[in-house]
Amino acid sequence: MEKRDILRIEQIRKVYADKSQINEHVVLGDINLRVKEKEMVCLVGPSGCGKTTLLTIVAGFLQAERGNIYINDMPIHGPGPDRGFVFQGYALFPWMTVEENILYALKLRHAGKEEKQNRLAQLLKMSHLSGNEKKYPKELSGGMKQRVAVMRAIAAAPELLLLDEPLAAIDFQMRQLMQEELYTLLMSANTTTIMVTHDVDEAVYMADRVIVMSPREGEIIADYHLDMARPRNRHSPKYLHHKEQLTLYLSESFNIGMEHTG
Amino acid sequence: MAVSRDKIPGPVSDGRAYSLIILLGACLIWYVAGNRTTNHMVLPTFQSVVCAFFEALTSKEILLNLAITMRRVLLGFSYAFCIGAPIGLLMGYSNAANKALSPFINSARQVPVMAWVPLAIIWFGLGDGPTVFLIAFTGVFTMIINTINAVQDIDRNYYHAARSLGATRWQVIRDVVLPGSFPGIFTGGRLAIGLGWMSVI
Ligand SMILES: Nc1ncnc2c1ncn2[C@@H]1O[C@H](COP(=O)(O)OP(=O)(O)OP(=O)(O)O)[C@@H](O)[C@H]1O
Ligand SMILES: [Mg+2]
């Protein structure tokens, strides 16, 4: 049976007023995209092409000028627990412990004590954070914060998980390790995911599908499917081939940007 | 500040040691200068001031007055806090409230405190009332402004995070606005107490 669409993005347009207030800057011209159940989609493109803008519109933090977002065929109105968001800077509540951060969604819907305990144990185990539940975010390393942020979003059991460059703050040496870890985490949570990244290697390692956006009104210039077994071998010919292809698309997108602004 | 102190270990990082040295140095200069001048109206000797200080500490009347002053400051501060913090929270959280209220707040702020003294005496009589009013009055704007800043400085993403985890407007206020602005409100409170002390003197 064909898998159903969890997310439908239809004819999204987003315009910002220029600094001068005279011209307008069309960030997203007419964006259309469908994401299937359990799909892991990476969104790549040059800086400023509108990746964060699109993701925040899907999250409901930002309103589009035109178009609609559907989750399971229902149009969205503002943010909601059906869409989890992992922020680039994590945005963990500094006044809450790890445990309180992770269980916040459950607290909001007045979950029982037992449910909270079970869920917490499960999530801590999944993310290897056991023993840190009483700590405050400032006591954690970057990688741990990132895991707490993912767990906090997953705890709400969202239909769709949105991640904005979740590994951007992780240094180069740790990055590959963190990619594996994050991927395992997402798989065990069993959600549909859209992740923004500007790292082609990260996209090829993690995604089922890579969407390449261009700086010309955010137009999608490639919708690239990666049919590779997991875990992926970063040195296999197939992996390198996909990486090369995507790098080509990305430089094409970059050139479009140069023409568009120049 | 606490952060930078944490970073450098050992006594070198402890500013209090230096403060003590400076204090002792100042006392020494005063002591020497006081014993060299002949006109003690201009500069009383160090010893006589220290003696007077300890006499004052044991004098019932002075302690009583100190207690009265402290009571006034605390009372005035409580009013400033209880009025200023909620107004500041409202103005920081809601743009509409900010626009509507800030003309009044700003014009009332510009009036020199002394100009309120006659009015305060008419309103509250001659007892504690006017003093407490003036302390509250000077403190309330500090509270309002610091609270507004505290709320406005909260990272937008904390609101977004709470909303995307299912928080209603009230839950956002309870779980993000209040705890997020607490450090700023606390700073406002400290400044307001300080101003209170200064305005009683
Ligand atoms: N609040 C805003 N007001 C005006 N322009 C904005 C605003 N937010 C974003 N933009 C503009 O919209 C464009 C897209 O921004 P966006 O943050 O979505 O890009 P991005 O693809 O996420 O870039 P990056 O990879 O650097 O994060 C940029 O040109 C940016 O200057
Ligand atoms: Mg971005």
Side-chain angles (χ1 to χ4, degrees):
Chain A
M1 200 183 87
E2 178 79 330
K3 277 188 175 170
R4 66 198 170 101
D5 292 331
I6 289 276
L7 168 72
R8 253 168 44 224
I9 298 175
E10 285 185 358
Q11 298 184 312
I12 287 292
R13 178 181 176 84
K14 179 70 200 175
V15 178
Y16 280 120
D18 214 70
K19 284 183 207 84
S20 56
Q21 300 282 324
I22 301 163
N23 300 312
E24 44 179 34
H25 174 190
V26 182
V27 180
L28 304 174
D30 179 17
I31 303 293
N32 294 278
L33 183 69
R34 286 160 179 246
V35 175
K36 290 193 192 310
E37 203 178 354
K38 306 277 183 277
E39 222 169 13
M40 165 68 191
V41 177
C42 275
L43 213 54
V44 301
S47 184
C49 71
K51 305 181 293 291
T52 299
T53 304
L54 183 59
L55 210 64
T56 45
I57 289 173
V58 173
F61 305 147
L62 188 69
Q63 209 139 30
E65 262 77 49
R66 197 191 65 200
N68 280 306
I69 307 282
Y70 299 91
I71 298 287
N72 288 328
D73 295 327
M74 298 281 285
I76 64 153
H77 304 283
D82 53 342
R83 283 147 293 143
F85 203 97
V86 177
F87 298 86
Q88 194 173 336
Y90 311 132
L92 296 175
F93 303 123
W95 49 85
M96 293 185 192
T97 60
V98 166
E99 175 179 332
E100 288 166 333
N101 266 287
I102 293 180
L103 290 180
Y104 186 57
L106 275 74
K107 177 189 167 185
L108 290 176
R109 58 175 174 76
H110 309 287
K113 202 168 176 181
E114 199 178 332
E115 185 190 350
K116 281 188 193 166
Q117 285 310 318
N118 292 340
R119 190 84 171 121
L120 181 69
Q122 178 200 7
L123 291 170
L124 287 174
K125 189 164 168 240
M126 194 197 272
S127 56
H128 306 290
L129 282 164
S130 306
N132 294 296
E133 54 268 40
K134 299 292 180 217
K135 286 189 180 155
Y136 282 90
K138 66 168 192 282
E139 302 170 69
L140 305 178
S141 71
M144 284 156 87
K145 280 185 202 163
Q146 187 258 337
R147 263 144 42 210
V148 176
V150 175
M151 288 304 110
R152 179 177 69 175
I154 284 176
E159 293 285 343
L160 178 65
L161 193 62
L162 306 163
L163 303 100
D164 192 3
E165 305 207 29
L167 298 175
I170 308 290
D171 55 39
F172 183 74
Q173 289 89 337
M174 285 291 290
R175 240 181 126 119
Q176 295 202 345
L177 198 69
M178 295 290 301
Q179 286 165 4
E180 278 178 52
E181 221 177 75
L182 180 59
Y183 184 77
T184 317
L185 212 61
L186 295 175
M187 281 306 100
S188 45
N190 210 16
T191 61
T192 312
T193 308
I194 303 182
M195 182 174 112
V196 169
T197 172
H198 55 238
D199 182 343
V200 173
D201 188 60
E202 192 164 290
V204 178
Y205 187 77
M206 295 181 69
D208 298 321
R209 187 178 161 202
V210 183
I211 305 291
V212 184
M213 283 170 76
S214 94
R216 185 179 55 211
E217 305 193 347
E219 186 193 355
I220 293 171
I221 60 162
D223 185 344
Y224 195 91
H225 288 256
L226 292 159
D227 50 344
M228 274 187 291
R230 316 234 184 209
R232 290 174 179 170
N233 173 0
R234 292 184 202 260
H235 304 291
S236 75
K238 204 167 183 180
Y239 187 97
L240 294 171
H241 169 75
H242 285 313
K243 199 172 153 180
E244 206 169 296
Q245 285 298 307
L246 272 169
T247 308
L248 282 176
Y249 281 123
L250 208 60
S251 51
E252 186 189 327
S253 165
F254 196 79
N255 288 334
I256 292 174
M258 299 298 273
E259 283 164 30
H260 188 61
T261 52
Chain B
M1 283 223 285
V3 174
S4 64
R5 207 188 294 164
D6 287 344
K7 272 184 188 158
I8 314 163
V12 181
S13 64
D14 199 343
R16 274 173 299 185
Y18 287 120
S19 301
L20 196 65
I21 292 170
I22 292 169
L23 183 68
L24 288 176
C27 290
L28 190 71
I29 292 169
W30 185 0
Y31 180 82
V32 172
N35 285 328
R36 278 173 167 235
T37 47
T38 41
N39 186 349
H40 292 307
M41 284 302 282
V42 178
L43 183 69
T45 58
F46 180 64
Q47 311 87 289
S48 65
V49 171
V50 171
C51 288
F53 176 71
F54 281 105
E55 264 169 44
L57 267 190
T58 47
S59 144
K60 235 186 190 156
E61 195 188 344
I62 288 186
L63 283 182
L64 190 70
N65 276 323
L66 191 67
I68 291 173
T69 306
M70 260 160 111
R71 190 178 152 271
R72 286 172 177 167
V73 171
L74 287 181
L75 202 60
F77 166 71
S78 316
Y79 285 121
F81 186 90
C82 295
I83 297 167
I87 293 180
L89 282 170
L90 183 68
M91 288 174 71
Y93 183 66
S94 145
N95 265 331
N98 196 357
K99 286 214 179 86
L101 290 174
S102 50
F104 300 104
I105 305 270
N106 281 329
S107 48
R109 237 178 87 199
Q110 305 304 328
V111 179
V113 193
M114 279 307 155
W116 293 96
V117 171
L119 267 182
I121 291 174
I122 293 170
W123 288 340
F124 300 101
L126 276 173
D128 259 2
T131 321
V132 172
F133 170 77
L134 291 178
I135 294 168
F137 194 82
T138 44
V140 81
F141 297 111
T142 312
M143 278 313 305
I144 291 176
I145 289 163
N146 273 282
T147 309
I148 293 175
N149 288 337
V151 176
Q152 287 177 345
D153 281 350
I154 298 173
D155 187 343
R156 306 298 312 163
N157 284 344
Y158 293 149
Y159 293 97
H160 289 156
R163 298 275 278 122
S164 79
L165 291 167
T168 62
R169 192 170 290 271
W170 284 112
Q171 287 169 325
V172 168
I173 290 173
R174 183 192 66 191
D175 299 330
V176 176
V177 179
L178 287 180
S181 59
F182 180 77
I185 295 178
F186 189 75
T187 308
R190 273 196 347 206
L191 290 173
I193 290 191
L195 280 178
W197 270 115
M198 300 223 281
S199 61
V200 240
I201 298 162

